[in-house]
Amino acid sequence: MKVHWREISSASNSFAALAAACEVHGYHLEATKEPCPDVTCYSLNSITERSYRDEIAGADCITIVGGPHASACYSDVARYADYVVVGEGEYTLPALLAAIEEGRDPPPGVATARGYTPARHTVLLDAYPPFSEVKGFIEITRGCPFGCGYCQTPRLFGRCMRHRSVDEISRYAARFRDIRFVTPNAFAYGSDGVHLRLDRVEQLLRSLDGRIYFGTFPGEVRPECVSQQSIDLILDYCANTRLHFGAQSGSDRVLRLLHRGHTVEDVVRAVDLCRENGLVPVVDFILGLPFETDDDQRATLDLVRLVTRAGKAHIHYFMPLPRTPLQNSRPRSLLPETEKVLGRLALGGRITGSWMDHEIRFFRHSPHL
């Protein structure tokens, strides 16, 4: 049985991880730019799903769809896909391929038009390689103890953090000259995500040989985790000159409503510590949150101005994602003064991101709203 993986740029790291997991069970995933027999696999988020829905529905092969959107909206996706892998795929996808090959019913964790039985397992990261022939970033941690209202991560992977061991990370990192990681919070490695274990972070960094990029995309940190001790680890062991963390709002009221678990003061302190230690802070913000007042938005704009005096800001326009507490919320519009300031900062190269157009158009027509 031939198994193909539909190439989608936003799912390249999923391809690396799942190709490695399937290889363990004797299945080779061959990359393709179109659906091919016998089986074609897709990984979709809530933006890319719209672009591939019709292709999957009309494919002349068996289709398997996973990813954040498929996991959150599995009953909808099962209307046009043959099988939907819900949640983690390292165990479920090879088990599903074996069931298809042998003519058996799909295993738990797979939805079809006939129904869905939840998975009975949680993936142990050390049980599967982070990549094999298809290289990808090394996922060192999965899960997040925080319940931010806009985020799918704790709903898909749980609120208990699971870590890959130092030995396994070091073994795969040896294949890279530049070493980068996937994690919801790099400084939380080895901990429960709330009470940091920076001694374990140092143990990890000390074990690696190469140019280490830690606390940068795709493995950012949280602002309350930025301290002189954590920054010293970056300065002592790492090659990055930037530290990437999320502020999301300049209003403590909004941060409480989001259940972010940090304050505006934590963000300002993190920015100051970066500046004092020669690191460039790169800070994420979300504008247009549904419960954001004019004053809240102005407070966020003030914080963006403060950040861009010392570093860079990355701006997102709020997008309601399925299976999050804010999934049925509508983004509020930006103030004229906000658009003016963002435009000026963008022209000056101080901010990046997308706060208009394609995401807004997509979510106006998204079926989960």
Side-chain angles (χ1 to χ4, degrees), residues 223-231 235 243 245 266-281:
E224 76 275 19
C225 299
V226 180
S227 64
Q228 189 59 55
Q229 185 182 3
S230 61
I231 282 183
L235 299 177
L243 196 61
F245 51 91
D266 291 326
V267 177
V268 174
R269 185 184 302 112
V271 170
D272 288 343
L273 279 168
C274 287
R275 187 190 69 248
E276 292 165 6
N277 286 275
L279 293 175
V280 176

Side-chain angles (χ1 to χ4, degrees), residues 19 342 349:
L342 294 180

Side-chain angles (χ1 to χ4, degrees), residues 128-252:
Y128 297 94
F131 61 84
S132 182
E133 292 180 7
V134 181
K135 278 191 175 182
F137 301 124
I138 304 171
E139 185 180 21
I140 61 173
T141 298
R142 189 176 288 181
C144 178
F146 298 94
C148 301
Y150 54 84
C151 183
Q152 291 176 318
T153 297
R155 283 92 200 178
L156 295 177
F157 299 129
R159 297 182 70 163
C160 179
M161 300 194 93
R162 290 165 280 153
H163 307 284
R164 200 179 300 274
S165 68
V166 169
D167 288 345
E168 285 295 289
I169 296 169
S170 180
R171 182 158 74 93
Y172 285 96
R175 295 179 58 179
F176 290 99
R177 189 175 178 183
D178 292 345
I179 306 168
R180 299 179 187 273
F181 307 100
V182 175
T183 170
N185 178 8
F187 287 147
Y189 177 76
S191 76
D192 62 4
V194 178
H195 309 93
L196 300 188
R197 290 294 307 269
L198 294 179
D199 57 322
R200 293 179 179 172
V201 175
E202 183 169 18
Q203 180 188 0
L204 168 62
L205 297 176
R206 194 189 303 122
S207 74
L208 304 175
D209 184 17
R211 286 197 297 259
I212 305 169
Y213 292 85
F214 199 77
T216 62
F217 179 83
E220 299 90 342
V221 300
R222 288 177 54 89
E224 76 275 19
C225 299
V226 180
S227 64
Q228 189 59 55
Q229 185 182 3
S230 61
I231 282 183
D232 283 343
L233 293 176
I234 302 295
L235 299 177
D236 290 345
Y237 293 99
C238 302
N240 47 294
T241 58
R242 300 183 174 201
L243 196 61
H244 196 156
F245 51 91
Q248 314 312 356
S249 176
S251 162
D252 280 321

